Amino acid sequence: MRLLQSELLRAASRRLVPMVVIGGLIGIVVGLGIAAVNADKPSPSAVARAQIGYEQDVARCEQSFTGPQVPGGFDSVTQYCEENQPPGIGGFLLRDLGAILQGIATFVILLGVILGASLGGADWTNNTMQTLLTWEPRRVRVFLVRALVIAVCVFVVTVLLQVVFAGVDALVASTRGTTAFLPTSFWRTVFLTIGRVSLVTTGLALVAYAVAMIGRSTVASLGALFGYLILFEGVIAGFRPTIQGSLLVRAAIVVITHRPILDPTRFGDGASDVLMGVSRAWTVLGVYIVLLSMLAVTIFRRRDVT
């Protein structure tokens, strides 16, 4: 408990944590403020006409599905039709919140990775790891407790920022847009998206933490991750599309969007064309986190810190 309290105090005292929160809140206010200023609120009559057309399109969509098969990533045909039928009206729509949250997930993940790399590599950069190990020499315990603190910190920060974003987005939609055309499971989908983005961000933050402990530097962690993103995710996946089923960032995308990646070499073969489904994506994320953490613990235990 003393080590846990010490790590929590250390994380809370880092200036980067409040800077990330404040910077995220400022970005939310500025971004949605600009959207509100440039939005044109539709008239009630236009919304009513569009609502009638939207309901008719959803009904036709449901009738077009004759079999029991549900589109991948959806719980029901109704959910698929409600989320994929355009309402036929422009402006700031609350129904777009789920897609927007998926769109800004890249920035949320980036903030989480920076937090994980910084909280893991700061002691090496500041040459204070020796002091910590003098007070608590059990290195495995130090590694695991710090990983727990980083996971809690990143999860709380990302959930907070996304919930604030959702609240401000709803406020802008009610004043400068419309809250009509909401699917039946709209809020459930929104909160599940927030949860998935936060969990994925937490996992990638732990990956950044493990790499920072291996490289003994925040910069080394970020450099290695961006190098992996460019080399493997960008270049190699382009030459060998089938390898996408084993890539970290591709797995994160599948988890967040709840949409599988299809194999371009088998497209149209039915179930066999799924290169990475949601279950496999969670597994890939878990394997990366566990293997890198085990490697980081092994190196941390054996290498001298002086």
Side-chain angles (χ1 to χ4, degrees):
M1 290 303 299
R2 289 191 308 152
L3 179 59
L4 179 60
Q5 292 171 357
S6 173
E7 288 296 323
L8 287 172
L9 179 61
R10 172 183 172 276
S13 62
R14 291 277 299 169
R15 287 179 294 178
L16 179 65
V17 177
M19 285 175 59
V20 167
V21 175
I22 294 173
L25 294 176
I26 292 175
I28 291 171
V29 173
V30 172
L32 291 178
I34 294 174
V37 170
N38 291 283
D40 294 323
K41 186 175 179 62
S43 64
S45 59
V47 173
R49 289 193 301 269
Q51 182 71 45
I52 295 173
Y54 169 72
E55 293 174 354
Q56 293 174 348
D57 291 339
V58 170
R60 282 193 291 268
C61 174
E62 291 175 337
Q63 293 172 2
S64 66
F65 285 87
T66 57
Q69 185 177 4
V70 177
F74 297 91
D75 297 330
S76 64
V77 171
T78 299
Q79 181 188 9
Y80 170 82
C81 293
E82 288 179 340
E83 294 186 9
N84 287 275
Q85 290 300 317
I89 190 172
F92 198 102
L93 307 179
L94 179 59
R95 64 170 279 126
D96 295 333
L97 176 58
I100 295 174
L101 287 172
Q102 293 181 11
I104 66 171
T106 301
F107 301 99
V108 176
I109 290 173
L110 180 60
L111 293 179
V113 167
I114 292 174
L115 283 176
S118 177
L119 293 175
D123 277 333
W124 298 108
T125 304
N126 298 327
N127 296 318
T128 56
M129 183 59 75
Q130 300 93 324
T131 305
L132 172 61
L133 294 180
T134 300
W135 176 67
E136 174 52 84
R138 291 169 290 190
R139 299 191 182 189
V140 175
R141 179 171 296 189
V142 170
F143 182 91
L144 295 179
V145 170
R146 181 164 294 183
L148 174 61
V149 171
I150 289 174
V152 171
C153 178
V154 171
F155 186 81
V156 170
V157 168
T158 52
V159 168
L160 171 65
L161 291 177
Q162 290 179 94
V163 169
V164 172
F165 183 93
V168 177
D169 185 273
L171 177 63
V172 173
S174 62
T175 56
R176 299 291 298 168
T178 179
T179 58
F181 319 109
L182 297 185
T184 306
S185 58
F186 172 76
W187 287 111
R188 175 178 175 271
T189 302
V190 167
F191 286 117
L192 286 177
T193 301
I194 291 175
R196 290 197 300 268
V197 171
S198 296
L199 286 174
V200 169
T201 304
T202 302
L204 293 180
L206 291 176
V207 169
Y209 164 61
V211 176
M213 293 295 286
I214 295 172
R216 299 188 174 192
S217 170
T218 301
V219 176
S221 175
L222 295 176
L225 289 176
F226 282 116
Y228 163 83
L229 179 64
I230 295 173
L231 180 61
F232 283 89
E233 299 279 347
V235 178
I236 295 182
F239 287 105
R240 294 197 60 183
T242 55
I243 202 176
Q244 295 182 65
S246 302
L247 297 179
L248 178 62
V249 177
R250 296 299 198 282
I253 294 173
V254 171
V255 170
I256 291 173
T257 62
H258 240 228
R259 303 288 190 274
I261 295 178
L262 301 181
D263 187 348
T265 63
R266 290 183 169 183
F267 188 75
D269 292 344
S272 63
D273 65 0
V274 177
L275 188 62
M276 179 190 287
V278 176
S279 298
R280 178 181 173 85
W282 281 111
T283 303
V284 170
L285 281 173
V287 168
Y288 270 93
I289 294 170
V290 171
L291 291 182
L292 284 173
S293 297
M294 291 175 60
L295 177 62
V297 168
T298 302
I299 293 175
F300 185 44
R301 287 185 61 191
R302 295 183 177 181
R303 288 174 64 184
D304 191 1
V305 299
T306 58

